[in-house]
Each structure stands twice: as structure tokens, then as C-alpha cells.
Amino acid sequence: MVVGGSSSAHRTLAILTTLGSKEAAERGGLGVVEIARRVGREKSQVSRALKTLDAEGFVERDRESMLYRLSWRVFTMAANAGHPRLLAVAPPVLRRLVGVLGERVHLTVLSSDGVLTVLSQGPARTVQAAGWVGRVTPLHTTSSGRALLFDHGDEEVAELLAGSRFASAGPGAPTGAEEFLARLAEARTAGYALAREEFEAGLVGAAAPVRDFRGQVMAALNVSAPAGRMGRDLDAAGRVVMSAARQLSQSMAGC
């Protein structure tokens, strides 16, 4: 796809379209040189555009292959990006989880600026924790944030938390990176993460990681609810979510 226009907008759209192609998805992404060739632009121009798109959360770069691909934030291109199988097999798991817990559940992924909810399923209740599909929440105040970081080293987590506004979170939120790392260690040991009024007062949550065929964390399942309904049973909810996340992981592994 060679770009016809000369503006930066044309260049950006061409890059996104190229990364949204079926071939790019099958190859796990494309390198800067290949993208530049396909859009008919100089490598330096494409590199600058990709850095901007990466910073804004529309593309991501694989740390091992160094290839660029569309991020989860680009919902309209999700079928040709990241993990289409996850989006296909997750809904029944979410519905069963709602049936067991009677509360809203979510499927989340790690984005460049926090936790992005890609699927959400809730029961017919008058009062529910809000659905957050397409919205990003902070890593340090959500159970999903911790579940998504199970495989990250402490130094890497500290880098991701740099600039986090701990003081503006809910009353139960960690006060700094050191406390967050301690809670993350507890969550790893348990196999699931709990958040008690960390995102906002009166809201609790439990989450567990979903792993791909390589055993690496690719997403997280979580439940969120008013503390008055789930606060006392949050540990039990965490174990239920962990079981559902393992079932989804087995589906992703082809088991």
C-alpha cells in the first residue's frame, strides 16, 4: 500500500492500515524497514510516526522480535491484531463466571498506559460496578493491574509505575512502589490478586492471569463489585476467578 497523500495524517493511516493487514497479524508484526517499503515512505519518517503511535497506545513493539503490531486499543482492528482467539473463546467463560459470582466480570490486557478492558459481562442488577470496555485504568490501583504483572521483574514493574499518582487513588491503594511490589508478591503466591477500595472507595475486585500457549501472561480475568456485596467473600471470589482464568488459559493453549 503506497501512500498517495503527503501529509503526516496520510502516513499515519497508511501505517495503521498496514499493521492491520492479515499478513501482519499472521507474522506477529512488521519491522520498520518493511513498513516503510509498504507505505512508500522514508524509514526515518515511519520510525518517528511509529514512536508517536506507540507512545499514544495505538501500536506496540515486541521486546524480543522488535516487530511492531497493532495494540489492543485499536478495537476496530482487533480481529486482525494481537489475539483473535482470545476474543472468540473468552465470552462463554465470562458468562459462566457471572453466573457463579453474580457480579460484573472483565477481560483486561496490559496497554502502554495502564490496564485496558477489552470485554465486560454483567448480570441484570440495578447497582453494578461500571463497565469499562475501551477505557484504561491505572496499574497500581486494580487487581487486574497486579495479575497482568505476574511475570514482570521488580525493576521492570518499578519502571512501569514511574509517574503513577499513588496519592490520588482510593483509600485502600498502595502508598508507593514498595508497597505495590509487596502486594504483587502476595498475589503471585496466592495465584490471584485482590484489591480492596484501591481504585475508588466502596469498590473491590479480584483478578487472575490468563496465559498463552507459551505460559506467558497475555490477559487477566477480574470481577469488580461494591464492597458491601463482595467484601467479605473476596478471597473466595479470587479463587473462583483463578479457576476460570486457568480454564481460559487451557483453551488458549489448545488443551
Side-chain angles (χ1 to χ4, degrees):
M1 174 187 176
V2 177
V3 183
S6 60
S7 70
S8 59
H10 281 102
R11 180 170 62 247
T12 300
L13 289 172
I15 291 171
L16 290 174
T17 301
T18 298
L19 290 176
S21 67
K22 182 178 180 180
E23 182 180 357
E26 291 175 344
R27 292 172 57 179
L30 298 173
V32 177
V33 173
E34 178 65 13
I35 296 171
R37 184 188 68 79
R38 291 179 179 230
V39 302
R41 294 290 191 180
E42 294 292 332
K43 177 184 174 183
S44 59
Q45 293 179 320
V46 171
S47 180
R48 287 195 298 271
L50 285 167
K51 288 179 180 178
T52 299
L53 288 168
D54 189 7
E56 295 298 326
F58 290 101
V59 303
E60 57 187 20
R61 196 175 196 183
D62 188 274
R63 288 178 292 181
E64 295 181 2
S65 68
M66 302 304 287
L67 299 179
Y68 281 97
R69 61 192 176 213
L70 293 174
S71 76
W72 281 97
R73 201 166 190 177
V74 188
F75 275 99
T76 57
M77 298 180 180
N80 288 328
H83 303 284
R85 178 171 171 77
L86 178 63
L87 296 178
V89 302
V93 176
L94 266 65
R95 287 193 292 270
R96 288 195 295 269
L97 194 54
V98 169
V100 174
L101 296 174
E103 300 290 353
R104 178 165 290 277
V105 299
H106 318 273
L107 180 70
T108 61
V109 296
L110 188 64
S111 71
S112 61
D113 50 356
V115 177
L116 176 66
T117 301
V118 294
L119 290 176
S120 184
Q121 178 75 41
R125 286 184 181 272
T126 303
V127 180
Q128 295 183 28
W132 291 86
V133 171
R135 299 184 65 179
V136 177
T137 53
L139 280 170
H140 65 286
T141 61
T142 56
S143 57
S144 286
R146 284 200 280 281
L148 289 166
L149 296 178
F150 268 29
D151 290 348
H152 287 62
D154 286 357
E155 290 186 3
E156 191 174 7
V157 172
E159 289 181 6
L160 289 171
L161 294 179
S164 296
R165 300 173 60 188
F166 287 93
S168 63
T175 56
E178 185 175 347
E179 186 176 351
F180 178 89
L181 288 171
R183 295 187 188 186
L184 177 58
E186 292 177 359
R188 288 186 182 122
T189 300
Y192 57 88
L194 304 179
R196 301 179 186 275
E197 299 188 278
E198 296 187 19
F199 182 70
E200 63 181 40
L203 185 67
V204 298
V210 176
R211 298 182 180 276
D212 62 18
F213 69 96
R214 298 167 297 180
Q216 298 179 356
V217 175
M218 65 183 302
L221 275 180
N222 93 290
V223 59
S224 57
R229 285 207 303 259
M230 185 171 280
R232 293 182 179 179
D233 300 319
L234 194 57
D235 265 298
R239 291 190 290 272
V240 172
V241 172
M242 179 175 64
S243 177
R246 287 176 175 172
Q247 292 173 12
L248 185 52
S249 298
Q250 290 174 353
S251 295
M252 294 307 301
C255 298

